[in-house]
Amino acid sequence: MSKAKAGHKQENHAEHPPKSSITSKSALSAAFLVLNQIGTRALTFAVNQVLLRYLSPKIYGVAMQLELFSVSILYFSRESLRVALQRHQGDDELEKTEQVDGESPKEDAKQVAVSYGPTRRLQEVVNLSHIAIGLGLPLTILFSWLYLRSADSAVLETSLLHSSLYIYALATLLELCIEPAFAVAKQQMLDGTRVWAEFRASFIKCFITCVTAVWASRTGRDVGVLPFAMGQLSYAIVINLVYNWNIIPICNRSGASLLPQTIASNSTYIMSRFSRPFITIAATFYGQAIFNQILTSGDSYLIAALATLPAQGAYALATNYGGLLARMLFQPIEEASRSLFGRLPTKDSPPKRSADKNPVRQAVIHLTTILHFYSLLSLFAISLGPSLSPLLLRTLAGSRWTVTEAPAVLAAYCYIIPLLAANGILEAFVSAVATPTQIRSQSIWKVAQLCAFAGTSYVALRVAAMGAPGLVVANAVTMVSRIAWSWGFVQGYLGTFGGNAGGLKVWEMMPSVGSLAVGVGGAVVPEVPLQDGSDIRLGELMQCGVVVGACGIGVLFFEREFLLSTIPNAAIDRFPILQHVTRTRKDGDEKKQQ
């Protein structure tokens, strides 16, 4: 090994501490992302409560259409690339040789971006992330044209709609410009940088949106959805500034660049910059992303096409509240879990070296623990959600929203939270370990799922005239079929690679009998009656608090063994009360064995 390489490795070792187990890394990453989601969603939630007092359901419905416009462009531009880039080898496998294309590295070889594994790998992902920016521009133009062409006349009559749409388009393109820096942060596991960037940008977005809306209302100006557009633009500007401020120095120290650079001139790279294997897998994921987006946001597309603007606003409000748990907790856990699952062996790759002796066994434990935890959260959602949702909606959004379809949609949404939870983590496993052939097989299955969703939606909306709640039913039908396929895939994978790890066992994920009894008891509690008038009385809130508190204490008691087993050792060492509880539990186990 040359002195240059030795010095390079020593520098990296000094900057980055020795690796812990991938399970611990995944848990830490998930904790960062969960805290980020809680913080940003809390900000958004607080601002929405202010905006709902100033906006009508019609304006809120148009705002949700523009949000869907932006999210669709971002998803189709970057999602498949992000998933593909997470399927990377460990850094220990990237330390190849000092040669590039069979030649020794030259000190002043400006055309070769890097010579050593980690830096070369970093430049590869930066180069690939620029594809998202390239895809974003034509997609933005296409989606803008389609939106203006297909929008209802009531939407086009909204004040400053065209200006707001163009601002959203600009903000979307600016947000795509962070992809190179995001890729570096992801590869270097700089979750703190990502958390601070997104939190600061979200804070500015909420502040600008709220101030603009209140100012327009106080001055009597009809600005339509312009406050939302200005907030989105401020978010894109701030997140670019924060990401680049933190990532550019890291790239300078690593010898990489946030601009596309030449890596090597051989058949492995397209235009000497883009890794052909990664483009292949990203293209496979891109084809599937179309179905994923339609299946995930198909309800939003259908409600935008078939429902009136007030109904769209009511549906968007209800699903935002109902999906709060999924966005704050499920999504970051799934994203962090992909890093763990992505290191598992597949049919196309040999087992990768890992600090964990049996990574498949660790993955089984990880999946079982998460699904058990999800089942407890789902117990509360199903037993208490439907009866408490009308009171929740009136408390948060005001009485004028209770006369819309929002209460019925929110109550129905509570029943699909378990499906959202299970589907998300199982598909995270599939996307991390499936081969391109298996992904294509899943895509074929998703075509059938898409047809089922469209058919169920038509029956629910046109034949049964169920209105917005019918879309929740259609979502549930589709979700069940997705879970069935993913469950079969996971069990098949564990049967092939699991060895002694075994497969997933349903009974290990289910709540205890005592917890189920608590859930049944909470479900039979009659709905808290709302008094006439727009204000919520203290007595009503206290009744809800008593019911929720009693159920929470009951579940904590019956699930104490499981919950204690999930607490990290570092937390137990830090808090004396946890040490006492853990010691008492161990003493009890020893007495039982004796």
Side-chain angles (χ1 to χ4, degrees):
M1 179 180 295
S2 69
K3 293 181 180 180
K5 184 170 182 179
H8 178 78
K9 293 186 70 173
Q10 289 175 1
E11 181 183 354
N12 281 347
H13 182 76
E15 290 181 6
H16 304 290
K19 293 184 181 180
S20 59
S21 70
I22 55 175
T23 306
S24 299
K25 283 186 176 182
S26 178
L28 182 62
S29 178
F32 268 118
L33 296 176
V34 168
L35 289 175
N36 179 43
Q37 287 293 324
I38 291 175
T40 54
R41 296 301 173 183
L43 278 173
T44 305
F45 184 82
V47 170
N48 279 339
Q49 305 322 301
V50 176
L51 294 177
L52 289 173
R53 309 291 172 174
Y54 293 95
L55 300 177
S56 65
K58 173 184 175 180
I59 295 299
Y60 199 74
V62 177
M64 292 305 100
Q65 287 188 10
L66 292 180
E67 183 71 19
L68 181 62
F69 161 83
S70 177
V71 167
S72 298
I73 296 173
L74 292 173
Y75 186 90
F76 289 125
S77 299
R78 71 188 186 188
E79 186 65 20
S80 59
L81 286 166
R82 285 188 172 186
V83 174
L85 290 175
Q86 283 185 311
R87 296 167 61 100
H88 60 77
Q89 295 174 312
D91 290 343
D92 55 343
E93 295 178 274
L94 294 170
E95 298 277 357
K96 301 296 183 183
T97 66
E98 296 184 25
Q99 297 182 348
V100 179
D101 297 336
E103 299 179 359
S104 299
K106 301 177 181 179
E107 294 183 0
D108 59 348
K110 297 181 179 180
Q111 297 304 315
V112 178
V114 289
S115 299
Y116 310 119
T119 306
R120 176 172 182 166
R121 172 65 179 156
L122 199 61
Q123 191 63 54
E124 282 185 0
V125 299
V126 168
N127 288 358
L128 289 165
S129 65
H130 278 272
I131 297 177
I133 303 175
L135 291 173
L137 181 58
L139 284 175
T140 301
I141 296 174
L142 175 63
F143 277 59
S144 300
W145 177 77
L146 288 175
Y147 182 81
L148 293 175
R149 181 181 177 86
S150 60
D152 188 80
S153 58
V155 176
L156 296 176
E157 293 171 359
T158 305
S159 298
L160 302 177
L161 175 70
H162 286 74
S163 299
S164 300
L165 177 65
Y166 298 147
I167 293 174
Y168 257 99
L170 175 61
T172 303
L173 290 174
L174 287 176
E175 190 171 347
L176 281 174
C177 290
I178 70 164
E179 284 306 294
F182 177 89
V184 173
K186 193 68 178 175
Q187 288 293 313
Q188 300 295 318
M189 300 189 75
L190 303 175
D191 296 301
T193 299
R194 178 181 175 185
V195 166
W196 278 112
E198 294 182 2
F199 183 80
R200 290 170 180 173
S202 297
F203 178 83
I204 297 299
K205 172 184 176 179
C206 293
F207 178 78
I208 295 297
T209 303
C210 191
V211 168
T212 307
V214 173
W215 167 79
S217 177
R218 295 289 177 85
T219 58
R221 299 174 185 271
D222 183 10
V223 295
V225 291
L226 186 63
F228 291 95
M230 296 302 298
Q232 193 67 27
L233 180 61
S234 64
Y235 176 90
I237 293 173
V238 172
I239 202 170
N240 265 280
L241 292 175
V242 177
Y243 258 112
N244 286 290
W245 177 267
N246 287 277
I247 299 301
I248 288 177
I250 295 174
C251 289
N252 291 337
R253 291 196 300 269
S254 301
S257 171
L258 288 181
L259 297 175
Q261 298 292 319
T262 299
I263 296 178
S265 300
N266 58 31
S267 60
T268 307
Y269 294 92
I270 299 175
M271 299 174 62
S272 302
R273 289 175 173 83
F274 306 106
S275 171
R276 190 180 299 274
F278 272 99
I279 289 182
T280 301
I281 190 67
T284 304
F285 277 120
Y286 193 85
Q288 192 181 57
I290 298 175
F291 300 108
N292 278 339
Q293 178 67 358
I294 294 176
L295 289 170
T296 302
S297 302
D299 55 348
S300 300
Y301 293 127
L302 281 173
I303 199 74
L306 301 176
T308 62
L309 280 178
Q312 291 179 44
Y315 180 79
L317 177 67
T319 52
N320 276 342
Y321 286 145
L324 201 59
L325 183 64
R327 293 190 298 272
M328 291 177 63
L329 186 62
F330 299 159
Q331 182 179 341
I333 288 177
E334 293 158 15
E335 186 171 344
S337 297
R338 285 195 187 101
S339 298
L340 170 62
F341 300 148
R343 294 176 181 264
L344 297 175
T346 68
K347 291 182 179 180
D348 291 348
S349 66
K352 303 179 179 68
R353 285 180 288 174
S354 171
D356 299 289
K357 294 181 179 179
N358 190 344
V360 178
R361 177 59 183 167
Q362 292 292 331
V364 171
I365 295 173
H366 185 75
L367 264 177
T368 303
T369 302
I370 288 178
L371 289 171
H372 190 166
F373 177 65
Y374 283 176
S375 70
L376 299 180
L377 296 178
S378 301
L379 191 65
F380 284 93
I382 293 175
S383 61
L384 301 177
S387 59
L388 300 182
S389 55
L391 179 65
L392 174 68
L393 197 61
R394 175 175 285 190
T395 303
L396 297 176
S399 59
R400 66 175 175 176
W401 289 89
T402 60
V403 298
T404 66
E405 293 183 280
V409 177
L410 185 57
Y413 205 89
C414 294
Y415 291 106
I416 71 169
I417 286 179
L419 303 179
L420 289 171
N423 178 71
I425 191 64
L426 291 175
E427 288 200 342
F429 188 99
V430 174
S431 65
V433 304
T435 64
T437 301
Q438 292 169 330
I439 294 171
R440 285 191 289 270
S441 175
Q442 186 188 26
S443 299
I444 295 174
W445 178 252
K446 288 195 173 187
V447 173
Q449 294 170 350
L450 179 59
C451 295
F453 175 75
T456 308
S457 300
Y458 178 81
V459 171
L461 292 174
R462 296 297 190 187
V463 179
M466 296 175 64
L471 290 173
V472 180
V473 176
N475 264 332
V477 172
T478 307
M479 206 75 66
V480 168
S481 65
R482 293 171 69 175
I483 291 172
W485 192 95
S486 298
W487 179 270
F489 176 90
V490 172
Q491 294 291 60
Y493 174 89
L494 296 178
T496 302
F497 295 96
N500 295 329
L504 299 178
K505 300 175 179 61
V506 176
W507 58 86
E508 293 181 353
M509 310 168 190
M510 296 296 293
S512 64
V513 175
S515 298
L516 291 174
V518 171
V520 172
V524 299
V525 172
E527 181 178 336
V528 178
L530 296 178
Q531 302 293 333
D532 294 333
S534 60
D535 296 331
I536 298 297
R537 300 179 184 274
L538 180 61
E540 298 168 349
L541 296 177
M542 291 183 63
Q543 291 180 57
C544 294
V546 169
V547 173
V548 174
C551 291
I553 293 173
V555 171
L556 286 175
F557 175 78
F558 290 112
E559 299 292 336
R560 60 189 183 279
E561 296 290 332
F562 165 72
L563 295 174
L564 285 173
S565 68
T566 62
I567 300 176
N569 291 331
I572 295 177
D573 295 338
R574 186 170 183 178
F575 298 99
I577 184 64
L578 293 178
Q579 296 176 15
H580 174 73
V581 173
T582 305
R583 191 181 307 113
T584 303
R585 184 182 59 142
K586 290 181 179 178
D587 293 341
D589 293 340
E590 292 176 357
K591 290 181 180 179
K592 289 180 181 179
Q593 292 177 358
Q594 292 175 357

